[in-house]
Amino acid sequence: MERAIVEPVYKEIFPFWNEIAEADRDYICQNSVSVTYEKGAGVHDGNECSGVIFVCSGSLRLSMLSDEGKDITLYRLHKGDMCMLSASCVLKSITFDVFINAEEDSQCYVISGPAYAAVSERNPPIKIFSLEAAVSRFSDVMWVMQQILFMSMDKRLAIFLTDESARTGSDTIVLTHEQIARYMGSAREVVSRMLKYFANEGIVEVSRKGIHILDKKRLRKLAL
């Protein structure tokens, strides 16, 4: 890509940008591409080094797949987020497979994994940044595992609805029961049953338009 197009973005997200050589900045820009993923498209299947992904618009979902074929959402990436776990050639200590799909039409900048790895080897600040970025995401993954293993379903759903409302700035969650179940690593029937309970308690209203939060105070209390 032309450096003038992508450099303003990289200056914003990479704290090391002004510390590395001009030639390395050029090399990263030259080995960057702009990619548009349609909703539902596979972005990364865990088997290759897809590169470092920066989300300009849209939403990507990272998941793991069990031997039985059940997938668990690890976290989602939205505008302004970056993914290092798709660049296995950069972080060789990551030995588990993650899968990335586009949750909606998404436009991303992708830096070639081998190119980023080559520059990283010459610049310790890049390697440190990459490790810190990966570690910060492991905190998200551990939070997901903690919820699945140790929290009741009503608390997990309350946390999800509260977080989603805060993220979107809306009291209406425009997601299907199937989507919520996938994000939570649960079954659609379980989510539907719990939403029905919340509705009977006057906490939410469920309709074809989505899930409208009626009582934020009670929902937050359940999430604690």
Side-chain angles (χ1 to χ4, degrees):
M1 289 184 64
E2 290 185 21
R3 181 168 169 176
I5 296 174
V6 75
E7 186 170 39
V9 175
Y10 291 167
K11 277 184 176 180
E12 188 73 24
I13 62 173
F14 293 139
F16 58 76
W17 192 253
N18 290 326
E19 298 179 34
I20 64 176
E22 187 79 11
D24 286 336
R25 292 200 290 267
D26 272 336
Y27 190 65
I28 290 175
C29 294
Q30 290 166 7
N31 284 277
S32 299
V33 292
S34 177
V35 183
T36 299
Y37 300 102
E38 294 184 357
K39 181 179 179 179
V43 177
H44 175 74
D45 67 4
N47 294 320
E48 79 287 349
C49 184
S50 300
V52 179
I53 301 171
F54 176 79
V55 182
C56 299
S57 65
S59 175
L60 306 181
R61 170 178 173 261
L62 280 82
S63 62
M64 290 183 69
L65 195 65
S66 71
D67 293 338
E68 295 77 29
K70 179 182 178 181
D71 72 341
I72 297 174
T73 300
L74 301 178
Y75 54 86
R76 286 181 286 164
L77 297 169
H78 303 286
K79 180 180 179 181
D81 289 334
M82 184 187 65
C83 181
M84 290 296 308
L85 297 188
S86 53
S88 56
C89 52
V90 177
L91 301 171
K92 294 182 173 61
S93 57
I94 296 176
T95 56
F96 60 88
D97 293 334
V98 296
F99 299 83
I100 306 176
N101 295 87
E103 285 288 284
E104 53 189 73
D105 291 347
S106 304
Q107 196 261 319
C108 304
Y109 290 152
V110 181
I111 305 173
S112 158
Y116 187 92
V119 177
S120 176
E121 286 300 316
R122 297 193 292 269
N123 296 274
I126 299 181
K127 188 169 289 188
I128 293 169
F129 168 81
S130 303
L131 288 171
E132 288 179 344
V135 167
S136 69
R137 284 302 180 179
F138 282 130
S139 297
D140 296 333
V141 173
M142 293 306 297
W143 171 236
V144 169
M145 296 306 171
Q146 181 181 341
Q147 290 185 61
I148 292 173
L149 293 172
F150 304 120
M151 291 184 186
S152 61
M153 187 60 192
D154 59 343
K155 183 171 184 176
R156 290 176 59 200
L157 183 57
I159 289 172
F160 177 84
L161 295 177
T162 300
D163 288 349
E164 193 67 13
S165 174
R167 185 186 71 81
T168 60
S170 171
D171 290 340
T172 300
I173 313 301
V174 189
L175 294 171
T176 65
H177 296 192
E178 183 70 37
Q179 286 175 309
I180 293 173
R182 190 168 67 244
Y183 292 147
M184 295 179 61
S186 184
R188 182 188 60 78
E189 295 79 9
V190 175
V191 169
S192 296
R193 190 161 57 243
M194 191 55 63
L195 284 171
K196 184 177 180 180
Y197 166 72
F198 281 9
N200 290 338
E201 291 293 310
I203 299 171
V204 302
E205 180 182 41
V206 181
S207 69
R208 290 184 178 180
K209 295 180 180 179
I211 298 135
H212 183 67
I213 299 172
L214 300 174
D215 193 334
K216 282 187 173 182
K217 186 176 180 180
R218 287 188 65 191
L219 191 67
R220 282 195 292 266
K221 189 174 180 179
L222 279 172
L224 294 176

